[in-house]
Amino acid sequence: MSRKRITSKELAKLAGVSSATISRAFSPDSRIGGATRDRILAVAREHGYQPNAIARSLNNQRSRLVALVVNAIGNPCEAEEQQLLVHRLQAKQLLPIILCCADHTDRLQLMRLASTYQVDHVVIFSDMVSMKDAVDIFHTTRPIIVSFEPVESDSVSHIRIDGSAAAGEIIDKIVKDGRKRFAYLSGTSSSWIDKLRRKWFADALAKHGLAFEADAYGDYSYDSGFKEAVLLLHRSKADAIICGNDVMAIGARDAARRVLNRNTPDDLAIVGQDGIAMAAWDCHDLTTLSLDHAAFMDAVVDLIDRHDADLEGPHSITLTCKARWGTTA
Amino acid sequence: MSRKRITSKELAKLAGVSSATISRAFSPDSRIGGATRDRILAVAREHGYQPNAIARSLNNQRSRLVALVVNAIGNPCEAEEQQLLVHRLQAKQLLPIILCCADHTDRLQLMRLASTYQVDHVVIFSDMVSMKDAVDIFHTTRPIIVSFEPVESDSVSHIRIDGSAAAGEIIDKIVKDGRKRFAYLSGTSSSWIDKLRRKWFADALAKHGLAFEADAYGDYSYDSGFKEAVLLLHRSKADAIICGNDVMAIGARDAARRVLNRNTPDDLAIVGQDGIAMAAWDCHDLTTLSLDHAAFMDAVVDLIDRHDADLEGPHSITLTCKARWGTTA
DNA sequence: TGATTTTGTGTACACGATTACACAAATGGT
DNA sequence: ACCATTTGTGTAATCGTGTACACAAAATCA
């Protein structure tokens, strides 16, 4: 129960060797006698010695830390992906540092702070971070942008999501059901992602000679979905609402049912996006434009591996969404 | 857009000073001329210099890293608290490292890894970590245990949650409604927390001369809530189910409604625990034993502050739960 | 003016590990 | 038995900061 951590030099004295040998005992493939290593490891265990990762990082120029920039942890739409990624990172002995921020200037501040920790990789989930800021702040670490901003760049790798086909399927079905008045409930008023997602559906509508009749803007939360849906349904005659994510769709559906007494799918069609586990819960059973989160995070890890292998050039991976059919549309 | 990060020594050369002066320019209260500092900061900005936090940590013996040990990020019951804590830590310029693990041996492994990074603080949300393991692994950092294990110890601080009064209120109401056959749906079969929570309700039942007639064990997830509720309702005649957390309660309610065609609260009373935001959503409107998460995380930060101030002795904070009334019981 | 304090800066070492280099001992081949 | 190679270990430098100490210049005080 020592209050102070033992150093390699002290352990060296205890084991009767030099501190270099201690280090070698902990490096899997280094020239060291088997007997010596065993003895050192035994003494180390006895005294609770573990090499100091901070000192090692300084020497190595490799911290094994990964910064994850996200908007929220509490929102299931993001948390689900984050959990998958965290598990994958941990399996590679990489430790995730979470940078979670709603406010933009705070976020940049935070990113600067994390960059001083010499993180080996940066994964940006937030659609609010511009590529310029990302490259600026992490100039030694090529960031991985997990948004859908369609930019090719040598200094940034990114994952592109294509939901156009699945959005087409969904719109086709809803139109076939006889609906004509569509509204789009955005997750935010100012992000690439949201504009692109809306476009998938808008293009699909155009094929039927239709367009969105109304737009509303929330903040990806249940509350905003609820509130904006009420306003939307009061000021328009929409019979179908496409929502920016699943949580907002759930909020919108509750609003329709509770405030306006309209049920899905009979009186109103509601579509979500993301395909989170919750969307499939019996109480929701949402029709949603879903993404395979496991494949998504596999792609992120793939990019990390490419960076580690020091492959040059921009890296980009494209994933496609699928329609998940529930009973709300 | 330099590929390599500039060091304090290089910047010193550029600014025509010694590296010590560079360091001083970045330390708020240190003896340095105002003009020199301004000049250095200007040159630093120009070359994108930021002090290397890893090197600083090594020198300082202070990493400003905090390890958060959790079972899951994806589960809203935990994610909500985690988000609040992360925000509070970031406001104090502390960076959270997330250790997220379902498997027990992996978790210990991960905790050992994090401990080599000389984290300044450790907050353990997982009820699966024994105090002995925590102290063993983080022997230089007094861990903060956020579980309800009622142990006094000098080397561990903890937050104790008391839900007995609120559980009493809830049980009183349900009994008054005429129900007599209670079941408890645990979140896990082997944790302190769960046993204690169950006891709050069991004690309240005892005051009415009642006891739990049936028990089931899940894993805090919706799916397990759903599945176990089906089995439970098949093998017992329970007319009230107390669940280990809100997510399981939602699962149980869906199961009752869908599989057995029993609605809440008429055919069955269902109670959750945690009081997450989702519990208040219109589609759930859960009656739940709720905790003020903001106050909870304030308490965690309070303990961190006490550790920073190096106050001796065991620290313990007790919080009490409140009943949140919904329409499920 | 001369003594004393304050201010600003450089030098050198510490933090705790890794690793290039040197070198002795052990090993192998003929 | 001799030389070449391999093996195991110690010495010393390095990673990038922070800071105790030393010391000159400037400021303060009588």
Side-chain angles (χ1 to χ4, degrees):
Chain A
M1 220 61 58
S2 47
R3 201 94 201 101
K4 187 90 186 108
R5 200 172 286 270
I6 197 177
T7 83
S8 86
K9 200 171 288 183
E10 300 174 287
L11 189 69
K13 201 154 286 174
L14 291 170
V17 295
S18 78
S19 75
T21 304
I22 299 291
S23 172
R24 285 190 268 255
F26 283 89
S27 303
D29 31 47
S30 59
R31 288 189 351 198
I32 185 180
T36 323
R37 163 172 280 151
D38 292 347
R39 183 162 47 89
I40 290 179
L41 291 183
V43 181
R45 204 175 344 265
E46 183 186 344
H47 294 269
Y49 170 82
Q50 288 273 110
N52 182 325
I54 295 287
R56 169 186 287 164
S57 301
L58 178 58
N59 182 290
N60 278 354
Q61 312 280 56
R62 189 125 201 288
S63 65
R64 305 199 71 82
L65 295 174
V66 178
L68 307 188
V69 181
V70 307
N71 288 323
I73 313 175
N75 193 323
C77 288
E78 315 194 28
E80 217 167 275
E81 290 170 356
Q82 289 165 30
Q83 166 148 345
L84 291 171
L85 181 55
V86 165
H87 279 146
R88 282 161 174 69
L89 293 176
Q90 287 173 350
K92 296 169 76 73
Q93 304 275 83
L94 294 173
L95 290 182
I97 291 183
I98 300 267
L99 310 183
C100 172
C101 216
D103 178 70
H104 188 58
T105 56
D106 287 357
R107 175 165 24 233
L108 292 184
Q109 207 65 30
L110 217 47
M111 285 167 62
R112 265 184 278 271
L113 177 59
S115 85
T116 67
Y117 278 80
Q118 322 294 345
V119 292
D120 288 346
H121 302 280
V122 183
V123 183
I124 300 179
F125 279 90
S126 170
D127 45 334
M128 317 298 254
V129 179
S130 78
M131 206 180 64
K132 181 181 175 316
D133 284 337
V135 173
D136 239 43
I137 294 175
F138 294 100
H139 44 99
T140 75
T141 320
R142 193 164 27 165
I144 296 175
I145 307 243
V146 179
S147 78
F148 316 153
E149 186 175 0
V151 178
E152 292 291 336
S153 154
D154 255 33
S155 28
V156 171
S157 297
H158 67 275
I159 293 177
R160 186 178 300 173
I161 312 286
D162 183 4
S164 50
E169 280 182 54
I170 292 176
I171 291 295
D172 288 353
K173 197 263 187 188
I174 298 178
V175 170
K176 187 173 297 174
D177 286 348
R179 307 185 203 264
K180 293 199 176 62
R181 318 190 61 128
F182 288 77
Y184 193 85
L185 177 41
S186 283
T188 148
S189 56
S190 64
S191 94
W192 266 100
I193 299 186
D194 210 85
K195 288 191 182 117
L196 183 58
R197 290 178 157 189
R198 184 181 183 285
K199 189 171 184 310
W200 296 335
F201 288 97
D203 288 350
L205 281 175
K207 289 192 186 137
H208 295 277
L210 295 170
F212 284 119
E213 293 192 7
D215 270 282
Y217 302 91
D219 64 2
Y220 288 125
S221 71
Y222 171 92
D223 287 341
S224 77
F226 192 103
K227 189 179 124 218
E228 294 302 329
V230 170
L231 297 175
L232 193 62
L233 291 173
H234 272 303
R235 72 165 182 267
S236 83
K237 300 234 173 285
D239 55 12
I241 304 181
I242 313 295
C243 302
N245 72 358
D246 289 339
V247 170
M248 290 179 72
I250 292 170
R253 182 170 176 237
D254 276 0
R257 186 163 40 188
R258 172 59 159 265
V259 180
L260 294 116
N261 203 29
R262 295 174 66 175
N263 285 318
T264 50
D266 300 334
D267 312 324
L268 181 69
I270 289 185
V271 175
Q273 288 187 67
D274 280 343
I276 57 176
M278 191 190 301
W281 289 2
D282 203 71
C283 45
H284 304 308
D285 199 17
L286 217 56
T287 292
T288 178
L289 187 73
S290 88
L291 184 60
D292 182 339
H293 292 115
F296 190 4
M297 294 306 113
D298 283 342
V300 173
V301 172
D302 189 9
L303 288 183
I304 287 179
D305 287 339
R306 292 194 205 175
H307 287 195
D308 268 338
D310 223 6
L311 301 181
E312 284 302 326
H315 296 292
S316 153
I317 296 179
T318 298
L319 299 174
T320 59
C321 301
K322 291 197 191 116
R324 197 196 88 80
W325 300 104
T327 54
T328 60
Chain B
M1 225 60 57
S2 47
R3 200 93 202 101
K4 188 92 184 103
R5 199 172 287 270
I6 197 176
T7 84
S8 86
K9 201 172 289 184
E10 300 174 287
L11 189 69
K13 201 155 288 174
L14 291 171
V17 294
S18 79
S19 76
T21 305
I22 300 291
S23 172
R24 283 189 270 255
F26 283 88
S27 303
D29 31 47
S30 59
R31 292 196 340 204
I32 185 179
T36 323
R37 162 172 280 151
D38 292 346
R39 182 161 47 89
I40 290 179
L41 292 182
V43 181
R45 207 176 341 267
E46 183 186 343
H47 293 268
Y49 171 81
Q50 287 275 108
N52 182 325
I54 295 288
R56 170 186 286 164
S57 300
L58 178 58
N59 184 297
N60 278 353
Q61 311 280 59
R62 191 126 199 289
S63 66
R64 305 199 71 82
L65 295 173
V66 179
L68 306 189
V69 181
V70 307
N71 289 322
I73 313 175
N75 194 321
C77 289
E78 314 194 29
E80 217 166 276
E81 290 170 355
Q82 288 165 30
Q83 167 148 343
L84 292 172
L85 181 55
V86 165
H87 279 147
R88 281 161 175 68
L89 292 177
Q90 288 174 350
K92 296 167 76 73
Q93 304 276 84
L94 293 173
L95 291 181
I97 292 184
I98 299 268
L99 310 181
C100 173
C101 215
D103 177 69
H104 188 58
T105 56
D106 287 355
R107 172 162 29 230
L108 293 184
Q109 206 67 30
L110 217 46
M111 285 167 61
R112 264 185 278 270
L113 177 58
S115 85
T116 67
Y117 278 80
Q118 322 293 342
V119 292
D120 288 345
H121 302 280
V122 183
V123 183
I124 300 178
F125 279 90
S126 170
D127 46 333
M128 317 299 254
V129 179
S130 78
M131 205 179 66
K132 181 182 174 315
D133 284 336
V135 173
D136 239 43
I137 294 175
F138 294 101
H139 43 98
T140 75
T141 319
R142 192 164 31 164
I144 296 176
I145 307 244
V146 178
S147 78
F148 316 155
E149 186 175 2
V151 179
E152 293 292 337
S153 155
D154 255 32
S155 28
V156 171
S157 297
H158 66 275
I159 293 177
R160 187 178 298 172
I161 312 286
D162 182 5
S164 49
E169 281 181 55
I170 291 176
I171 290 295
D172 287 353
K173 197 265 188 186
I174 297 179
V175 170
K176 188 174 297 173
D177 286 348
R179 308 187 201 262
K180 293 201 177 60
R181 317 190 62 131
F182 287 77
Y184 194 87
L185 177 41
S186 284
T188 149
S189 56
S190 64
S191 94
W192 266 99
I193 299 186
D194 209 86
K195 289 193 182 114
L196 183 58
R197 289 177 157 190
R198 183 181 185 285
K199 189 171 183 308
W200 296 334
F201 288 97
D203 288 350
L205 281 174
K207 290 191 186 139
H208 295 277
L210 295 170
F212 284 118
E213 292 192 8
D215 270 282
Y217 302 91
D219 63 4
Y220 288 124
S221 71
Y222 172 91
D223 287 341
S224 78
F226 192 102
K227 189 179 125 218
E228 293 302 328
V230 170
L231 298 174
L232 192 63
L233 291 172
H234 271 304
R235 72 165 183 266
S236 83
K237 301 233 172 285
D239 55 12
I241 304 182
I242 314 294
C243 302
N245 72 359
D246 289 338
V247 171
M248 290 179 74
I250 292 171
R253 182 170 174 238
D254 276 0
R257 185 165 40 189
R258 173 59 159 265
V259 180
L260 296 115
N261 202 30
R262 293 173 67 175
N263 286 317
T264 49
D266 299 336
D267 312 324
L268 180 69
I270 289 186
V271 175
Q273 288 187 67
D274 280 342
I276 58 175
M278 192 191 303
W281 289 2
D282 204 71
C283 47
H284 304 308
D285 199 18
L286 216 56
T287 292
T288 178
L289 188 71
S290 88
L291 186 59
D292 181 339
H293 292 114
F296 190 3
M297 294 307 112
D298 283 341
V300 172
V301 172
D302 189 10
L303 288 183
I304 287 179
D305 287 338
R306 293 194 205 176
H307 287 195
D308 268 339
D310 223 9
L311 301 180
E312 285 300 326
H315 296 293
S316 153
I317 295 179
T318 299
L319 299 174
T320 59
C321 300
K322 290 195 192 119
R324 197 196 90 79
W325 300 104
T327 54
T328 61

